[in-house]
Every structure is written in C-alpha cells, then in structure tokens.
C-alpha cells in the first residue's frame, strides 16, 4: 500500500485541457486576452491543473510561435492569481528532435510537465519498438517530466497497450499517462502495477471518472472542465470524501453532458464553452474547422442543461466578490 506521506508523481485531480481562443475575424489571430480570462475562470472554479496545447487546444492548428504565446498567456494568468495550479504543456511532434525542442520551450515558458503523443505520421512504421525508443530518447533529454498521451483516434490508430506503457513507466523522467483511449482495463492494470507515487494514471474524460477513481486513477484530464469545471471538481471531491451515492448521481449527469461534447467534435466543444462559459463573443475553431450547425447547437444545450443547473448551484460569493465552490 502507498504511504500517506508519498506524493504522486503528478498532482491528483481534475485537469482542464483548455481550448485556444481566436479572434472572430478572417485573420483568426490568437485572442490572448480571452485566453487569460478563461484561465482565471478555470482557476476560480478550482481545477487542479490546466493542460495547454492538447487536442482540445487545437495544437495542430498552431505555429510554434503561437504555441509559445498561448503557454505564456496561461502561465502569466496563473501567476497573477498566485495559484498553485499545475500546468501541463502539449509537446507532441513527429520527430524526437522537435519534441525535445518543444519540451525545452515548455519549460522556458513555465510549463511543469510535457504531454506527448506517440509518433503516427508513418503509422505502419510506429511499432512498439519505435514508440518505446521515441519516448526514451525524448525523456532522456527533456528538462521537464513526460506524461504519455494515449489517444488512438488522433494518431491514425497507433495505440499503446498497458504492457508498453508499463515498460516506459520505469523511465525516471516518464511520470504518468493520460488514457483518452477509454480503456478502463489498461487503467486498472497500470494502477495495479504502480502506485501514484511511481506513475500517475489519468483518464482522458470525465464520463468515467468514478470508475477510474475506483480503479485507482489520479483523476481525469477532461474537456468538460471548459464548460462545467465546478461540477467536475465536485465529483472528484465527493469521491475523495467517501460520498459515493452523491458521486454516483453526479457522475450520471456528467456522463450525459460529456456525451454532448464528445459527439460533436472540436466545433461542438467551442460552442459549448461559448454558451455555458458565458463568453460574450463567439468561440470558434480555427479554419478549416467550422462553426457547428444550429441543430447541433440546440442538441448541445439540451443535453448539457441539467448539469448547467447543477453547476450554477455550486457558486458561492465571497465577501470580496470572487466566486468559489
């Protein structure tokens, strides 16, 4: 059993893979002011960590210069609030060389961990041996610890099973994994092999947060935290406090809401953030992705409405006007 004095390799909790904001004109330049406001909104809501430049952050749509600017904006907003929020930076590239460079830039910009997908452009060549070698070479030279990112849907089906991840977990600079593959079996095998102080295992969405926590996960990296961050944090806290019946009920609402986000793609995520996050202007994906249709918008609002009511009930106004759970 893990000692209470042992700290996890990555702090436990709810991590929000923040969206990236663009201006609503033809240039679609970065909107760093909106990025900072959203960061503060997430921190106020109590999220334990923020992931920048992940899939939800549309990282493939950004130049290296833009990636650095987004990371700096998020870190600056965090520092302005004097928050202890953990910052994870997406550092995925196809070559070992560029991935290491991104890890170095993430460190220089204030990132604490690097989230890295396996190489997948030549999917047939991305054998377990190639993937293992890729992560080892990156981890050997990265100035910040590596979190493996398993998401076959965005890597042409390139997948990593629990055996391969277990081998990589023994590298001293590979400290965790985000399982967006949705494989609870892999999660359970990994948590049965490693304590959180050896290797941190996170689910990649909140619709199976409670099953993951039962299996020993450290929490979740969930896009739903962009729209309903307090509810996600509340579910984590309910489970940690042993309020299992309340957690089960809230898990049901969260699973229904996440269905609306997971089935509508990046444009749906952007719209849900616009509608439920209270943004004053449209929150659009970068071209060639397009704004979702009116029918999809109606469906998103409907499937998420119950959780939105619950989310609003979690607001408590302090004497200084700040809103907390």
């Amino acid at each position: 059993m893990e000692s209470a004095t042992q700290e996890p390799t990555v702090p436990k909790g709810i991590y929000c893979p923040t969206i990236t904001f663009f201006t609503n004109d033809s240039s679609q330049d970065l909107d760093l002011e909106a990025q900072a406001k959203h960061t503060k909104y997430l921190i106020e809501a109590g999220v334990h960590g923020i992931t920048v430049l992940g899939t939800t952050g549309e990282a493939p749509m950004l130049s290296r210069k833009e990636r650095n600017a987004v990371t700096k904006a998020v870190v600056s907003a965090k520092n302005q609030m004097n928050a202890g929020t953990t910052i994870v930076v997406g550092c995925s590239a196809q070559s070992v060389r560029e991935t290491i460079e991104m890890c170095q830039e993430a460190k220089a910009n204030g990132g604490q961990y690097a989230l890295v997908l396996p190489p997948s452009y030549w999917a047939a060549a991305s054998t377990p041996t190639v993937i293992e070698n890729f992560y080892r070479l990156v981890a050997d030279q990265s100035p910040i610890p590596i979190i493996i990112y398993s998401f076959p849907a965005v890597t042409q089906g390139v997948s990593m099973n629990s055996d391969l991840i277990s081998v990589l977990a023994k590298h001293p600079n590979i400290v965790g994994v985000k399982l967006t593959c949705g494989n609870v079996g892999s999660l359970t095998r990994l948590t049965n092999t490693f304590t959180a102080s050896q290797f941190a295992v996170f689910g990649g969405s909140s619709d199976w947060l409670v099953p993951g926590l039962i299996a020993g996960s450290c929490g979740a990296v969930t896009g739903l935290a962009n729209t309903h961050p307090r509810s996600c944090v509340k579910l984590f806290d309910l489970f940690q406090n042993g309020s299992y019946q309340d957690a089960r009920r809230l898990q049901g609402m969260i699973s229904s809401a996440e269905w609306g986000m997971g089935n509508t793609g990046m444009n749906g995520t952007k719209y849900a953030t616009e509608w439920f996050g209270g943004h004053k202007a449209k929150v659009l994906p970068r071209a060639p992705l397009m704004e979702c249709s009116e029918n999809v918008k109606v469906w998103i609002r409907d499937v998420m409405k119950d959780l939105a009511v619950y989310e609003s009930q979690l607001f408590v106004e302090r004497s200084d006007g700040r809103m907390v759970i």
Side-chain angles (χ1 to χ4, degrees):
M1 293 293 293
E2 189 171 3
S3 168
T5 61
Q6 290 180 300
E7 293 294 326
T9 54
V10 185
K12 296 181 178 182
I14 298 298
Y15 286 65
C16 179
T18 182
I19 63 170
T20 298
F21 291 81
F22 306 108
T23 58
N24 292 318
D25 55 30
S26 59
S27 72
Q28 287 201 302
D29 290 335
L30 294 177
D31 188 342
L32 297 179
E33 181 180 353
Q35 196 76 51
K37 288 181 179 178
H38 189 60
T39 300
K40 293 176 181 179
Y41 163 75
L42 296 174
I43 292 172
E44 287 279 5
V47 299
H48 305 92
I50 296 175
T51 299
V52 295
L53 309 177
T55 305
T56 307
E58 297 175 83
M61 303 292 197
L62 307 179
S63 67
R64 286 273 289 278
K65 181 179 179 181
E66 288 177 320
R67 289 183 181 215
N68 288 329
V70 171
T71 302
K72 289 177 181 177
V74 171
V75 171
S76 175
K78 167 199 164 179
N79 291 341
Q80 287 173 24
M81 298 184 72
N82 196 29
T85 314
T86 302
I87 303 296
V88 180
V89 182
C91 295
S92 298
Q94 293 301 309
S95 72
V96 168
R97 181 189 177 109
E98 187 175 15
T99 305
I100 292 170
E101 289 175 354
M102 287 187 176
C103 292
Q104 292 168 339
E105 290 168 358
K107 167 70 172 179
N109 294 332
Q112 295 161 272
Y113 299 89
L115 183 68
V116 179
L117 286 164
S120 60
Y121 187 87
W122 287 281
S126 293
T127 64
T129 301
V130 167
I131 293 171
E132 180 182 345
N133 189 51
F134 168 82
Y135 277 107
R136 287 188 182 282
L137 290 171
V138 170
D140 283 346
Q141 298 186 58
S142 172
I144 53 178
I146 302 298
I147 298 173
I148 297 168
Y149 188 7
S150 178
F151 194 5
V154 299
T155 54
Q156 298 196 79
V158 172
S159 182
M160 294 174 282
N161 62 29
S162 56
D163 290 341
L164 175 55
I165 295 171
S166 293
V167 170
L168 292 171
K170 296 174 183 176
H171 191 289
N173 204 33
I174 299 177
V175 297
V177 63
K178 175 190 177 186
L179 294 172
T180 311
C181 56
N183 192 325
V184 183
S186 284
L187 183 148
T188 305
R189 286 188 291 274
L190 289 168
T191 57
N192 186 57
T193 304
F194 303 98
T195 65
S197 61
Q198 295 171 324
F199 189 71
V201 183
F202 290 84
S205 65
S206 54
D207 56 354
W208 53 290
L209 175 59
V210 167
L213 291 171
I214 290 172
S217 79
C218 289
V221 185
T222 170
L224 191 68
N226 281 289
T227 60
H228 300 79
R230 294 165 184 82
S231 298
C232 294
V233 172
K234 183 68 173 180
L235 179 54
F236 180 83
D237 290 344
L238 285 172
F239 185 87
Q240 296 298 107
N241 295 333
S243 301
Y244 302 126
Q245 289 302 317
D246 289 339
R248 183 177 180 276
R249 285 190 289 270
L250 180 52
Q251 178 69 87
M253 282 195 288
I254 282 178
S255 295
S256 295
E258 181 118 36
W259 184 248
M261 181 171 287
N263 280 278
T264 55
M266 194 61 237
N267 50 3
T269 299
K270 283 293 185 76
Y271 175 71
T273 305
E274 171 191 321
W275 184 265
F276 293 104
H279 294 276
K280 302 299 183 183
K282 285 184 177 294
V283 182
L284 299 175
R286 189 171 248 185
L289 298 179
M290 301 173 67
E291 183 178 4
C292 54
S293 69
E294 291 303 316
N295 287 340
V296 170
K297 290 180 180 179
V298 170
W299 185 74
I300 288 172
R301 294 198 300 266
D302 183 63
V303 79
M304 291 186 165
K305 64 183 179 182
D306 290 342
L307 189 61
V309 172
Y310 184 88
E311 178 87 3
S312 68
Q313 295 170 349
L314 294 175
F315 275 105
V316 177
E317 188 169 2
R318 302 192 327 193
S319 59
D320 62 2
R322 293 175 66 188
M323 308 302 286
V324 296
I325 293 176

